[in-house]
């Protein structure tokens, strides 16, 4: 396995990580610095550099009291990497959340040594930004009706967000968590912790952008995301108070319309195998997926 010189992910490491991230031929939402740093405590994420790649190790499995070790996909220029020269790629090694392009490269460079296993729950949903920003056509007609209903009732007071707006984001997130009962749901509590972590250190995460809807001067919904590459953006978080009809459709629509411009594609991350979340994401008719699968080394 890999050497033991892994280190916790820290904010000060962001400049050192970015060259690996920008060199990756395919950029999945999981591997943004914001995501890795935000979820580092929940998953016990650590990293090290070796063979001109950044290797990521997960040391905690949510819901499992026994210590566990998992490796995520390495980040960097996969095309230039000398995969045959990596002694730790031995039978028994498993890589999780491996983007499709890296799966293909490993199969090409290490024939007979890897098996790719589909993990549908890790596929990231991709949408044409223009579809979400207009909701035109019969398939999205019901979504458009919800947005129109919201706008008619409450108006369209959408505002871009930045670090100075973090207190209002935190206030809304705490209110949402109280409504949803985060204390009784480890997954919701974990996500809430990540949102609060990111909001509280927003000034140190310059790639993060946000937008919010207001009613009578009060923030009632927010979304946060960041650039993936020249043509795509990821939406990390989206939360809204439950008291307003059509509010989720409205914040989705406005964030795509304003914050998503000029990107062609919006990545709305994976469904993690949650049926309700899968249905919600599929109801917007994704244009495709950024597939991430499991890679098992067998020879």
């Amino acid at each position: 396995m890999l050497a033991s010189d892994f280190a916790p992910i820290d904010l000060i490491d962001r400049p050192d990580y970015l060259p690996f991230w920008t060199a990756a031929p395919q950029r999945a939402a999981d591997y943004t610095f914001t995501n890795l740093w935000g979820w580092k405590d929940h998953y016990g994420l650590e990293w090290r550099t070796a063979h001109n790649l950044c290797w990521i190790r997960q040391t905690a499995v949510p819901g499992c009291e026994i210590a566990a070790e998992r490796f995520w996909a390495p980040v960097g220029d996969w095309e230039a990497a000398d995969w045959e020269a990596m002694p730790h790629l031995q039978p028994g090694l498993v890589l999780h959340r491996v983007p499709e392009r890296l799966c293909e490269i490993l199969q090409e460079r290490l024939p007979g040594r890897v098996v790719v296993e589909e993990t549908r729950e890790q596929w990231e949903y991709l949408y044409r930004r223009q579809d979400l920003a207009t909701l035109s056509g019969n398939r999205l007609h019901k979504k458009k009706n919800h947005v129109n209903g919201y706008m008619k009732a409450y108006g369209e007071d959408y505002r871009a967000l930045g670090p100075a707006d973090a207190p209002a984001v935190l206030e809304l997130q705490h209110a949402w968590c109280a409504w949803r009962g985060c204390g009784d749901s480890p997954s919701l509590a974990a996500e809430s912790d990540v949102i609060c972590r990111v909001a509280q250190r927003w000034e140190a995460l310059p790639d993060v952008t946000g937008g919010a809807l207001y009613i009578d001067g009060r923030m009632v919904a927010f979304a946060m995301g960041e650039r993936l590459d020249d043509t795509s953006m990821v939406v990390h978080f989206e939360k809204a108070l439950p008291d307003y009809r059509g509010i989720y459709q409205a914040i989705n629509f406005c964030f795509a319309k304003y914050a998503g411009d000029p990107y062609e594609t919006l990545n709305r991350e994976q469904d993690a195998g949650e049926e309700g979340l899968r249905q919600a994401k599929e109801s917007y008719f994704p244009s495709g997926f950024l597939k991430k699968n499991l890679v098992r080394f067998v020879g």
Side-chain angles (χ1 to χ4, degrees), residues 9-11 29-30 32-45 47 72 189-199 201 205 208 226 236-237:
I9 298 172
D10 194 277
L11 271 178
D30 276 346
T32 62
F33 180 82
T34 301
N35 192 73
L36 293 175
W37 177 78
W39 288 94
K40 70 183 183 74
D41 290 344
H42 184 65
Y43 290 112
L45 296 178
W47 57 13
W72 291 17
E191 182 196 40
S192 183
D193 287 345
V194 174
I195 293 173
C196 293
R197 176 196 295 271
V198 171
R201 298 305 307 273
L205 299 166
V208 174
E226 65 181 300
H236 284 305
F237 314 119

Side-chain angles (χ1 to χ4, degrees), residues 165-287:
D165 302 295
V169 170
L170 292 171
E171 181 180 354
L172 192 155
Q173 178 58 30
H174 291 321
W176 183 91
C177 230
W179 166 64
R180 283 300 304 271
C182 288
D184 299 321
S185 171
S187 62
L188 291 180
E191 182 196 40
S192 183
D193 287 345
V194 174
I195 293 173
C196 293
R197 176 196 295 271
V198 171
Q200 289 167 337
R201 298 305 307 273
W202 200 335
E203 77 287 347
L205 299 166
D207 294 326
V208 174
T209 186
L213 287 171
Y214 289 76
I215 296 176
D216 295 330
R218 180 195 183 196
M219 183 187 294
V220 294
F222 71 82
M224 299 171 70
E226 65 181 300
R227 174 185 181 275
L228 288 175
D229 54 40
D230 290 341
T231 63
S232 61
M233 174 186 186
V234 58
V235 182
H236 284 305
F237 314 119
E238 191 178 77
K239 290 289 178 282
L241 298 180
D243 307 318
Y244 309 96
R245 177 182 176 272
I247 192 168
Y248 268 104
Q249 291 85 355
I251 186 61
N252 186 315
F253 169 79
C254 287
F255 196 69
K257 181 179 178 181
Y258 298 110
D261 188 36
Y263 300 102
E264 298 173 8
T265 301
L266 294 185
N267 180 321
R268 293 184 61 82
E269 302 189 334
Q270 60 265 56
D271 60 43
E274 297 181 17
E275 188 59 32
L277 189 55
R278 177 169 296 184
Q279 291 177 0
K281 291 180 183 291
E282 290 180 344
S283 72
Y284 276 93
F285 299 97
S287 58

Side-chain angles (χ1 to χ4, degrees), residues 1-281:
M1 301 300 288
L2 297 178
S4 59
D5 55 343
F6 280 85
I9 298 172
D10 194 277
L11 271 178
I12 62 173
D13 299 320
R14 179 180 171 275
D16 295 328
Y17 176 69
L18 290 184
F20 294 100
W21 165 251
T22 56
Q26 188 177 38
R27 301 179 195 172
D30 276 346
Y31 295 95
T32 62
F33 180 82
T34 301
N35 192 73
L36 293 175
W37 177 78
W39 288 94
K40 70 183 183 74
D41 290 344
H42 184 65
Y43 290 112
L45 296 178
E46 302 174 338
W47 57 13
R48 66 170 293 221
T49 58
H51 304 285
N52 296 315
L53 297 169
C54 181
W55 297 83
I56 299 164
R57 179 172 68 179
Q58 175 184 338
T59 62
V61 177
C64 180
E65 297 181 359
I66 302 174
E69 180 181 84
R70 292 181 178 178
F71 291 95
W72 291 17
V75 180
D77 188 350
W78 306 323
E79 302 281 359
D82 186 356
W83 297 99
E84 293 183 353
M86 302 182 192
H88 56 276
L89 302 183
Q90 297 294 321
L93 176 66
V94 176
L95 299 180
H96 297 261
R97 304 178 185 233
V98 183
E100 186 174 25
R101 180 58 191 139
L102 179 52
C103 291
E104 294 170 349
I105 290 172
L106 291 173
Q107 288 176 313
E108 293 166 2
R109 304 285 182 85
L110 304 173
R113 291 182 55 189
V114 299
V115 173
V116 176
E117 300 177 10
E118 182 178 295
T119 51
R120 170 64 177 82
E121 68 275 9
Q122 293 296 337
W123 292 5
E124 296 174 0
Y125 288 73
L126 306 179
Y127 303 85
R128 285 184 288 269
R129 186 198 71 86
Q130 190 68 11
D131 291 346
L132 299 188
T134 62
L135 299 176
S136 59
N138 291 332
R139 294 195 305 175
L140 295 171
H141 182 68
K142 290 184 179 180
K143 303 290 187 185
K144 188 65 174 288
N145 283 344
H146 282 297
V147 172
N148 289 340
Y150 174 90
M151 299 302 181
K152 183 177 180 180
Y154 310 110
E156 184 182 338
D157 187 356
Y158 174 87
R159 308 177 194 178
L161 298 181
D165 302 295
V169 170
L170 292 171
E171 181 180 354
L172 192 155
Q173 178 58 30
H174 291 321
W176 183 91
C177 230
W179 166 64
R180 283 300 304 271
C182 288
D184 299 321
S185 171
S187 62
L188 291 180
E191 182 196 40
S192 183
D193 287 345
V194 174
I195 293 173
C196 293
R197 176 196 295 271
V198 171
Q200 289 167 337
R201 298 305 307 273
W202 200 335
E203 77 287 347
L205 299 166
D207 294 326
V208 174
T209 186
L213 287 171
Y214 289 76
I215 296 176
D216 295 330
R218 180 195 183 196
M219 183 187 294
V220 294
F222 71 82
M224 299 171 70
E226 65 181 300
R227 174 185 181 275
L228 288 175
D229 54 40
D230 290 341
T231 63
S232 61
M233 174 186 186
V234 58
V235 182
H236 284 305
F237 314 119
E238 191 178 77
K239 290 289 178 282
L241 298 180
D243 307 318
Y244 309 96
R245 177 182 176 272
I247 192 168
Y248 268 104
Q249 291 85 355
I251 186 61
N252 186 315
F253 169 79
C254 287
F255 196 69
K257 181 179 178 181
Y258 298 110
D261 188 36
Y263 300 102
E264 298 173 8
T265 301
L266 294 185
N267 180 321
R268 293 184 61 82
E269 302 189 334
Q270 60 265 56
D271 60 43
E274 297 181 17
E275 188 59 32
L277 189 55
R278 177 169 296 184
Q279 291 177 0
K281 291 180 183 291

